[in-house]
Amino acid sequence: LQKILILVHVTASVVVGKTLMILFPNAMKRHILKQGEKSRMNQNPKFSYENWGPTFFSFKYLLFVLKVKWKRLEDEAHEGHPAPNTPVVTSNGDVRHLFDFMQDNRPLILNFGSCT
């Protein structure tokens, strides 16, 4: 049921967005560029609006957003329930899944960090 609701919501958003891009291209360009500022896409001089702006609200965009949102459904953790088997990236860049690191009945401890 959740996947159907997400499908309806994302499809409606794409249809409205595509319609607005056709009817008001300049206003939508300004809106999309403002969104790009939030994600810092605009800071890369080799990555201009003409490269990525027109892809918004396309069929590929729809499929990508659906894939991400549906995948996030599987990654939700709830107190008292088993942990989701989410993908993780090892320090050498390999993609594994959380349960790959479990050994017998030993507790699995996750340590998160960041370095810049």
Short mmCIF file of all heavy atoms in Angstrom, two decimals, residues 42-98:
data_model
loop_
_atom_site.label_atom_id
_atom_site.label_comp_id
_atom_site.label_asym_id
_atom_site.label_seq_id
_atom_site.Cartn_x
_atom_site.Cartn_y
_atom_site.Cartn_z
N ASN A 42 25.19 23.99 -8.24
CA ASN A 42 25.55 25.19 -9.00
C ASN A 42 27.02 25.58 -8.82
O ASN A 42 27.52 26.42 -9.56
CB ASN A 42 24.67 26.37 -8.58
CG ASN A 42 23.22 26.11 -8.84
OD1 ASN A 42 22.85 25.09 -9.41
ND2 ASN A 42 22.37 27.02 -8.43
N GLN A 43 27.71 25.02 -7.85
CA GLN A 43 29.09 25.41 -7.58
C GLN A 43 30.08 24.78 -8.56
O GLN A 43 31.21 25.21 -8.63
CB GLN A 43 29.47 25.06 -6.15
CG GLN A 43 28.72 25.90 -5.14
CD GLN A 43 29.10 25.57 -3.72
OE1 GLN A 43 29.87 24.66 -3.45
NE2 GLN A 43 28.54 26.31 -2.79
N ASN A 44 29.67 23.77 -9.28
CA ASN A 44 30.55 23.13 -10.26
C ASN A 44 30.37 23.83 -11.60
O ASN A 44 29.34 23.70 -12.24
CB ASN A 44 30.21 21.65 -10.37
CG ASN A 44 31.14 20.90 -11.28
OD1 ASN A 44 31.90 21.49 -12.04
ND2 ASN A 44 31.10 19.58 -11.20
N PRO A 45 31.40 24.57 -12.08
CA PRO A 45 31.25 25.32 -13.33
C PRO A 45 31.07 24.44 -14.56
O PRO A 45 30.54 24.88 -15.57
CB PRO A 45 32.54 26.13 -13.42
CG PRO A 45 33.52 25.43 -12.54
CD PRO A 45 32.73 24.74 -11.48
N LYS A 46 31.45 23.17 -14.48
CA LYS A 46 31.31 22.26 -15.62
C LYS A 46 29.93 21.58 -15.63
O LYS A 46 29.64 20.80 -16.52
CB LYS A 46 32.40 21.20 -15.58
CG LYS A 46 33.78 21.76 -15.76
CD LYS A 46 34.82 20.67 -15.74
CE LYS A 46 36.22 21.25 -15.91
NZ LYS A 46 37.24 20.22 -15.85
N PHE A 47 29.12 21.88 -14.65
CA PHE A 47 27.83 21.22 -14.50
C PHE A 47 26.74 22.28 -14.58
O PHE A 47 26.19 22.71 -13.59
CB PHE A 47 27.80 20.48 -13.16
CG PHE A 47 26.74 19.43 -13.06
CD1 PHE A 47 26.64 18.42 -14.00
CD2 PHE A 47 25.83 19.44 -12.02
CE1 PHE A 47 25.68 17.44 -13.91
CE2 PHE A 47 24.85 18.47 -11.92
CZ PHE A 47 24.79 17.47 -12.86
N SER A 48 26.44 22.72 -15.78
CA SER A 48 25.50 23.82 -15.97
C SER A 48 24.05 23.32 -15.97
O SER A 48 23.78 22.14 -16.14
CB SER A 48 25.80 24.54 -17.29
OG SER A 48 25.51 23.68 -18.37
N TYR A 49 23.15 24.27 -15.83
CA TYR A 49 21.72 23.96 -15.82
C TYR A 49 21.31 23.19 -17.07
O TYR A 49 20.49 22.29 -17.02
CB TYR A 49 20.90 25.25 -15.69
CG TYR A 49 19.42 25.00 -15.85
CD1 TYR A 49 18.66 24.54 -14.79
CD2 TYR A 49 18.78 25.21 -17.07
CE1 TYR A 49 17.31 24.30 -14.92
CE2 TYR A 49 17.43 24.97 -17.22
CZ TYR A 49 16.70 24.51 -16.14
OH TYR A 49 15.36 24.26 -16.28
N GLU A 50 21.88 23.55 -18.20
CA GLU A 50 21.52 22.89 -19.45
C GLU A 50 21.84 21.40 -19.42
O GLU A 50 21.26 20.62 -20.16
CB GLU A 50 22.23 23.57 -20.64
CG GLU A 50 21.66 24.93 -21.00
CD GLU A 50 21.95 26.02 -19.96
OE1 GLU A 50 22.94 25.91 -19.21
OE2 GLU A 50 21.15 26.97 -19.89
N ASN A 51 22.79 20.99 -18.57
CA ASN A 51 23.15 19.58 -18.45
C ASN A 51 22.14 18.78 -17.62
O ASN A 51 21.92 17.61 -17.88
CB ASN A 51 24.53 19.42 -17.81
CG ASN A 51 25.63 19.93 -18.69
OD1 ASN A 51 25.47 20.02 -19.91
ND2 ASN A 51 26.74 20.28 -18.10
N TRP A 52 21.60 19.41 -16.57
CA TRP A 52 20.76 18.63 -15.66
C TRP A 52 19.34 19.18 -15.50
O TRP A 52 18.44 18.43 -15.15
CB TRP A 52 21.43 18.52 -14.28
CG TRP A 52 21.80 19.83 -13.66
CD1 TRP A 52 22.97 20.50 -13.81
CD2 TRP A 52 20.99 20.64 -12.81
NE1 TRP A 52 22.95 21.67 -13.11
CE2 TRP A 52 21.76 21.79 -12.47
CE3 TRP A 52 19.71 20.53 -12.30
CZ2 TRP A 52 21.28 22.80 -11.66
CZ3 TRP A 52 19.23 21.54 -11.47
CH2 TRP A 52 20.01 22.66 -11.16
N GLY A 53 19.12 20.45 -15.74
CA GLY A 53 17.79 21.05 -15.54
C GLY A 53 16.68 20.39 -16.35
O GLY A 53 15.62 20.06 -15.81
N PRO A 54 16.91 20.17 -17.65
CA PRO A 54 15.84 19.56 -18.46
C PRO A 54 15.49 18.12 -18.06
O PRO A 54 14.45 17.62 -18.45
CB PRO A 54 16.42 19.61 -19.88
CG PRO A 54 17.40 20.73 -19.85
CD PRO A 54 17.99 20.70 -18.47
N THR A 55 16.34 17.47 -17.27
CA THR A 55 16.04 16.09 -16.87
C THR A 55 15.01 16.03 -15.75
O THR A 55 14.43 14.98 -15.51
CB THR A 55 17.31 15.35 -16.40
OG1 THR A 55 17.81 15.98 -15.21
CG2 THR A 55 18.37 15.36 -17.48
N PHE A 56 14.79 17.19 -15.07
CA PHE A 56 13.77 17.21 -14.03
C PHE A 56 12.41 16.91 -14.64
O PHE A 56 12.07 17.38 -15.72
CB PHE A 56 13.72 18.59 -13.35
CG PHE A 56 14.68 18.73 -12.21
CD1 PHE A 56 16.04 18.66 -12.43
CD2 PHE A 56 14.22 18.91 -10.93
CE1 PHE A 56 16.93 18.79 -11.38
CE2 PHE A 56 15.10 19.05 -9.86
CZ PHE A 56 16.46 18.98 -10.10
N PHE A 57 11.66 16.09 -13.95
CA PHE A 57 10.29 15.73 -14.33
C PHE A 57 10.22 14.91 -15.62
O PHE A 57 9.19 14.85 -16.26
CB PHE A 57 9.40 16.98 -14.42
CG PHE A 57 9.48 17.84 -13.20
CD1 PHE A 57 9.98 19.13 -13.27
CD2 PHE A 57 9.09 17.35 -11.97
CE1 PHE A 57 10.07 19.92 -12.13
CE2 PHE A 57 9.18 18.13 -10.82
CZ PHE A 57 9.67 19.42 -10.92
N SER A 58 11.32 14.25 -15.99
CA SER A 58 11.31 13.34 -17.14
C SER A 58 10.90 11.95 -16.64
O SER A 58 10.76 11.71 -15.43
CB SER A 58 12.70 13.27 -17.77
OG SER A 58 13.63 12.69 -16.86
N PHE A 59 10.75 11.02 -17.57
CA PHE A 59 10.38 9.65 -17.19
C PHE A 59 11.51 9.00 -16.40
O PHE A 59 11.26 8.30 -15.42
CB PHE A 59 10.03 8.83 -18.44
CG PHE A 59 9.53 7.45 -18.12
CD1 PHE A 59 8.30 7.27 -17.51
CD2 PHE A 59 10.30 6.34 -18.41
CE1 PHE A 59 7.83 6.00 -17.20
CE2 PHE A 59 9.84 5.07 -18.11
CZ PHE A 59 8.60 4.90 -17.51
N LYS A 60 12.76 9.26 -16.80
CA LYS A 60 13.90 8.72 -16.05
C LYS A 60 13.94 9.29 -14.63
O LYS A 60 14.26 8.59 -13.68
CB LYS A 60 15.22 9.04 -16.76
CG LYS A 60 15.50 8.16 -17.95
CD LYS A 60 16.87 8.46 -18.52
CE LYS A 60 17.16 7.56 -19.70
NZ LYS A 60 18.50 7.79 -20.24
N TYR A 61 13.60 10.56 -14.50
CA TYR A 61 13.52 11.21 -13.19
C TYR A 61 12.47 10.51 -12.33
O TYR A 61 12.71 10.19 -11.16
CB TYR A 61 13.18 12.69 -13.39
CG TYR A 61 12.93 13.47 -12.13
CD1 TYR A 61 13.97 14.08 -11.44
CD2 TYR A 61 11.63 13.65 -11.66
CE1 TYR A 61 13.73 14.82 -10.29
CE2 TYR A 61 11.38 14.39 -10.52
CZ TYR A 61 12.44 14.97 -9.84
OH TYR A 61 12.19 15.71 -8.71
N LEU A 62 11.31 10.26 -12.92
CA LEU A 62 10.23 9.56 -12.21
C LEU A 62 10.70 8.21 -11.70
O LEU A 62 10.53 7.88 -10.52
CB LEU A 62 9.02 9.39 -13.13
CG LEU A 62 7.91 8.48 -12.61
CD1 LEU A 62 7.11 9.17 -11.53
CD2 LEU A 62 7.01 8.04 -13.75
N LEU A 63 11.34 7.42 -12.58
CA LEU A 63 11.79 6.10 -12.18
C LEU A 63 12.85 6.17 -11.09
O LEU A 63 12.85 5.37 -10.15
CB LEU A 63 12.34 5.34 -13.39
CG LEU A 63 11.31 4.99 -14.47
CD1 LEU A 63 11.99 4.27 -15.63
CD2 LEU A 63 10.18 4.16 -13.90
N PHE A 64 13.77 7.15 -11.19
CA PHE A 64 14.81 7.29 -10.19
C PHE A 64 14.22 7.65 -8.82
O PHE A 64 14.58 7.04 -7.81
CB PHE A 64 15.83 8.35 -10.62
CG PHE A 64 16.86 8.63 -9.58
CD1 PHE A 64 17.91 7.75 -9.38
CD2 PHE A 64 16.78 9.76 -8.79
CE1 PHE A 64 18.86 7.99 -8.40
CE2 PHE A 64 17.73 10.02 -7.81
CZ PHE A 64 18.77 9.13 -7.62
N VAL A 65 13.32 8.61 -8.80
CA VAL A 65 12.72 9.03 -7.52
C VAL A 65 11.93 7.88 -6.91
O VAL A 65 12.00 7.64 -5.69
CB VAL A 65 11.85 10.29 -7.71
CG1 VAL A 65 11.08 10.62 -6.45
CG2 VAL A 65 12.72 11.47 -8.13
N LEU A 66 11.19 7.14 -7.73
CA LEU A 66 10.45 5.99 -7.22
C LEU A 66 11.39 4.96 -6.61
O LEU A 66 11.15 4.43 -5.52
CB LEU A 66 9.62 5.34 -8.33
CG LEU A 66 8.36 6.06 -8.73
CD1 LEU A 66 7.71 5.36 -9.93
CD2 LEU A 66 7.38 6.14 -7.57
N LYS A 67 12.49 4.67 -7.31
CA LYS A 67 13.45 3.68 -6.82
C LYS A 67 14.02 4.10 -5.47
O LYS A 67 14.10 3.29 -4.54
CB LYS A 67 14.58 3.53 -7.85
CG LYS A 67 15.65 2.55 -7.45
CD LYS A 67 16.73 2.49 -8.51
CE LYS A 67 17.91 1.67 -8.06
NZ LYS A 67 19.00 1.69 -9.03
N VAL A 68 14.39 5.37 -5.34
CA VAL A 68 14.97 5.86 -4.09
C VAL A 68 13.93 5.81 -2.96
O VAL A 68 14.22 5.33 -1.86
CB VAL A 68 15.51 7.30 -4.26
CG1 VAL A 68 15.85 7.94 -2.93
CG2 VAL A 68 16.72 7.30 -5.18
N LYS A 69 12.74 6.29 -3.23
CA LYS A 69 11.71 6.31 -2.18
C LYS A 69 11.29 4.91 -1.77
O LYS A 69 11.07 4.65 -0.59
CB LYS A 69 10.51 7.15 -2.62
CG LYS A 69 10.81 8.64 -2.64
CD LYS A 69 9.55 9.44 -2.86
CE LYS A 69 9.83 10.91 -2.75
NZ LYS A 69 9.80 11.38 -1.38
N TRP A 70 11.17 4.00 -2.72
CA TRP A 70 10.81 2.62 -2.37
C TRP A 70 11.93 1.95 -1.59
O TRP A 70 11.68 1.18 -0.68
CB TRP A 70 10.48 1.83 -3.63
CG TRP A 70 9.15 2.17 -4.23
CD1 TRP A 70 8.13 2.88 -3.64
CD2 TRP A 70 8.67 1.83 -5.52
NE1 TRP A 70 7.06 2.99 -4.50
CE2 TRP A 70 7.36 2.35 -5.67
CE3 TRP A 70 9.22 1.15 -6.59
CZ2 TRP A 70 6.60 2.20 -6.80
CZ3 TRP A 70 8.46 0.99 -7.75
CH2 TRP A 70 7.18 1.51 -7.84
N LYS A 71 13.17 2.25 -1.95
CA LYS A 71 14.30 1.67 -1.23
C LYS A 71 14.33 2.17 0.21
O LYS A 71 14.65 1.43 1.13
CB LYS A 71 15.61 2.02 -1.95
CG LYS A 71 16.81 1.37 -1.36
CD LYS A 71 16.77 -0.11 -1.60
CE LYS A 71 18.02 -0.75 -1.03
NZ LYS A 71 17.83 -2.17 -0.82
N ARG A 72 13.99 3.42 0.41
CA ARG A 72 13.97 3.99 1.77
C ARG A 72 12.93 3.31 2.65
O ARG A 72 13.07 3.28 3.86
CB ARG A 72 13.72 5.49 1.73
CG ARG A 72 14.94 6.25 1.29
CD ARG A 72 14.71 7.73 1.41
NE ARG A 72 15.86 8.46 0.93
CZ ARG A 72 15.85 9.74 0.63
NH1 ARG A 72 14.74 10.44 0.77
NH2 ARG A 72 16.94 10.33 0.20
N LEU A 73 11.86 2.80 2.05
CA LEU A 73 10.87 2.07 2.84
C LEU A 73 11.50 0.87 3.52
O LEU A 73 11.16 0.52 4.65
CB LEU A 73 9.72 1.59 1.95
CG LEU A 73 8.70 2.62 1.50
CD1 LEU A 73 7.71 1.99 0.54
CD2 LEU A 73 7.99 3.24 2.69
N GLU A 74 12.43 0.23 2.83
CA GLU A 74 13.10 -0.95 3.38
C GLU A 74 14.12 -0.58 4.44
O GLU A 74 14.53 -1.42 5.22
CB GLU A 74 13.80 -1.72 2.25
CG GLU A 74 12.86 -2.20 1.17
CD GLU A 74 13.59 -2.68 -0.07
OE1 GLU A 74 14.83 -2.78 -0.03
OE2 GLU A 74 12.93 -2.95 -1.08
N ASP A 75 14.56 0.67 4.47
CA ASP A 75 15.62 1.08 5.37
C ASP A 75 15.12 1.70 6.67
O ASP A 75 15.91 2.17 7.46
CB ASP A 75 16.54 2.10 4.67
CG ASP A 75 17.31 1.49 3.53
OD1 ASP A 75 17.40 0.24 3.46
OD2 ASP A 75 17.83 2.24 2.70
N GLU A 76 13.82 1.70 6.89
CA GLU A 76 13.29 2.31 8.10
C GLU A 76 13.53 1.38 9.29
O GLU A 76 13.34 0.18 9.21
CB GLU A 76 11.80 2.59 7.96
CG GLU A 76 11.49 3.71 7.00
CD GLU A 76 10.01 4.03 6.94
OE1 GLU A 76 9.24 3.46 7.74
OE2 GLU A 76 9.63 4.84 6.09
N ALA A 77 13.98 1.98 10.39
CA ALA A 77 14.19 1.23 11.62
C ALA A 77 13.13 1.64 12.64
O ALA A 77 12.81 2.82 12.75
CB ALA A 77 15.58 1.52 12.17
N HIS A 78 12.60 0.66 13.34
CA HIS A 78 11.58 0.92 14.34
C HIS A 78 11.99 0.24 15.64
O HIS A 78 12.46 -0.92 15.63
CB HIS A 78 10.21 0.41 13.89
CG HIS A 78 9.75 1.03 12.61
ND1 HIS A 78 9.20 2.29 12.55
CD2 HIS A 78 9.77 0.58 11.33
CE1 HIS A 78 8.90 2.58 11.30
NE2 HIS A 78 9.23 1.55 10.53
N GLU A 79 11.81 0.94 16.74
CA GLU A 79 12.20 0.40 18.04
C GLU A 79 11.47 -0.91 18.32
O GLU A 79 10.26 -1.03 18.10
CB GLU A 79 11.85 1.43 19.13
CG GLU A 79 12.36 1.03 20.49
CD GLU A 79 12.10 2.09 21.55
OE1 GLU A 79 11.83 3.26 21.18
OE2 GLU A 79 12.17 1.75 22.73
N GLY A 80 12.24 -1.89 18.77
CA GLY A 80 11.67 -3.19 19.09
C GLY A 80 11.54 -4.13 17.91
O GLY A 80 11.14 -5.28 18.07
N HIS A 81 11.88 -3.67 16.71
CA HIS A 81 11.83 -4.51 15.51
C HIS A 81 13.25 -4.79 15.02
O HIS A 81 14.18 -4.06 15.36
CB HIS A 81 11.03 -3.80 14.41
CG HIS A 81 9.58 -3.68 14.72
ND1 HIS A 81 9.07 -2.65 15.48
CD2 HIS A 81 8.53 -4.46 14.41
CE1 HIS A 81 7.78 -2.80 15.61
NE2 HIS A 81 7.41 -3.89 14.97
N PRO A 82 13.42 -5.81 14.21
CA PRO A 82 14.76 -6.09 13.68
C PRO A 82 15.28 -4.93 12.83
O PRO A 82 14.51 -4.20 12.20
CB PRO A 82 14.55 -7.33 12.80
CG PRO A 82 13.26 -7.93 13.26
CD PRO A 82 12.43 -6.79 13.79
N ALA A 83 16.58 -4.76 12.85
CA ALA A 83 17.21 -3.71 12.05
C ALA A 83 17.09 -4.04 10.57
O ALA A 83 17.11 -5.22 10.18
CB ALA A 83 18.68 -3.57 12.44
N PRO A 84 16.97 -3.04 9.72
CA PRO A 84 16.94 -3.30 8.28
C PRO A 84 18.33 -3.69 7.78
O PRO A 84 19.34 -3.30 8.35
CB PRO A 84 16.49 -1.96 7.69
CG PRO A 84 16.85 -0.94 8.71
CD PRO A 84 16.79 -1.62 10.03
N ASN A 85 18.37 -4.48 6.74
CA ASN A 85 19.64 -4.92 6.16
C ASN A 85 20.08 -3.90 5.10
O ASN A 85 20.12 -4.17 3.91
CB ASN A 85 19.49 -6.31 5.54
CG ASN A 85 20.82 -6.93 5.17
OD1 ASN A 85 21.86 -6.52 5.67
ND2 ASN A 85 20.78 -7.92 4.31
N THR A 86 20.42 -2.72 5.55
CA THR A 86 20.74 -1.63 4.65
C THR A 86 22.12 -1.80 4.02
O THR A 86 23.02 -2.41 4.60
CB THR A 86 20.71 -0.28 5.38
OG1 THR A 86 21.67 -0.33 6.44
CG2 THR A 86 19.37 0.00 5.95
N PRO A 87 22.31 -1.24 2.82
CA PRO A 87 23.64 -1.27 2.21
C PRO A 87 24.57 -0.31 2.96
O PRO A 87 24.14 0.75 3.42
CB PRO A 87 23.41 -0.81 0.78
CG PRO A 87 22.04 -0.25 0.73
CD PRO A 87 21.31 -0.68 1.94
N VAL A 88 25.81 -0.71 3.10
CA VAL A 88 26.84 0.12 3.72
C VAL A 88 28.08 0.08 2.82
O VAL A 88 28.28 -0.85 2.06
CB VAL A 88 27.20 -0.35 5.15
CG1 VAL A 88 26.05 -0.15 6.10
CG2 VAL A 88 27.61 -1.81 5.15
N VAL A 89 28.89 1.11 2.93
CA VAL A 89 30.11 1.19 2.13
C VAL A 89 31.28 1.01 3.08
O VAL A 89 31.40 1.72 4.09
CB VAL A 89 30.21 2.55 1.40
CG1 VAL A 89 31.49 2.63 0.59
CG2 VAL A 89 29.00 2.76 0.50
N THR A 90 32.16 0.06 2.77
CA THR A 90 33.33 -0.18 3.61
C THR A 90 34.37 0.91 3.38
O THR A 90 34.25 1.71 2.45
CB THR A 90 33.95 -1.55 3.29
OG1 THR A 90 34.42 -1.54 1.95
CG2 THR A 90 32.95 -2.67 3.47
N SER A 91 35.39 0.93 4.22
CA SER A 91 36.41 1.96 4.11
C SER A 91 37.19 1.88 2.80
O SER A 91 37.77 2.87 2.37
CB SER A 91 37.38 1.87 5.30
OG SER A 91 37.96 0.58 5.35
N ASN A 92 37.18 0.73 2.14
CA ASN A 92 37.86 0.63 0.84
C ASN A 92 36.90 0.81 -0.34
O ASN A 92 37.26 0.59 -1.48
CB ASN A 92 38.64 -0.68 0.72
CG ASN A 92 37.76 -1.90 0.79
OD1 ASN A 92 36.56 -1.79 1.00
ND2 ASN A 92 38.35 -3.06 0.64
N GLY A 93 35.64 1.20 -0.06
CA GLY A 93 34.70 1.54 -1.11
C GLY A 93 33.79 0.42 -1.58
O GLY A 93 32.97 0.62 -2.46
N ASP A 94 33.90 -0.76 -1.00
CA ASP A 94 33.02 -1.87 -1.38
C ASP A 94 31.63 -1.69 -0.78
O ASP A 94 31.50 -1.24 0.36
CB ASP A 94 33.59 -3.21 -0.89
CG ASP A 94 34.90 -3.57 -1.56
OD1 ASP A 94 35.13 -3.11 -2.70
OD2 ASP A 94 35.69 -4.32 -0.94
N VAL A 95 30.60 -2.03 -1.53
CA VAL A 95 29.23 -1.96 -1.02
C VAL A 95 28.86 -3.34 -0.50
O VAL A 95 28.93 -4.33 -1.22
CB VAL A 95 28.25 -1.51 -2.13
CG1 VAL A 95 26.82 -1.52 -1.60
CG2 VAL A 95 28.62 -0.13 -2.64
N ARG A 96 28.50 -3.39 0.76
CA ARG A 96 28.07 -4.63 1.41
C ARG A 96 26.73 -4.34 2.08
O ARG A 96 26.21 -3.24 1.98
CB ARG A 96 29.11 -5.04 2.47
CG ARG A 96 30.55 -5.11 1.98
CD ARG A 96 31.02 -6.49 1.57
NE ARG A 96 30.85 -7.51 2.55
CZ ARG A 96 31.73 -7.83 3.50
NH1 ARG A 96 32.85 -7.17 3.62
NH2 ARG A 96 31.48 -8.82 4.34
N HIS A 97 26.20 -5.31 2.79
CA HIS A 97 24.98 -5.11 3.55
C HIS A 97 25.27 -5.33 5.03
O HIS A 97 26.18 -6.07 5.40
CB HIS A 97 23.87 -6.06 3.06
CG HIS A 97 23.26 -5.60 1.78
ND1 HIS A 97 23.81 -5.89 0.56
CD2 HIS A 97 22.17 -4.83 1.54
CE1 HIS A 97 23.08 -5.33 -0.39
NE2 HIS A 97 22.08 -4.68 0.19
N LEU A 98 24.49 -4.65 5.84
CA LEU A 98 24.73 -4.65 7.27
C LEU A 98 24.85 -6.06 7.85
O LEU A 98 25.76 -6.35 8.63
CB LEU A 98 23.58 -3.89 7.96
CG LEU A 98 23.73 -3.57 9.42
CD1 LEU A 98 24.92 -2.65 9.64
CD2 LEU A 98 22.47 -2.90 9.93
#
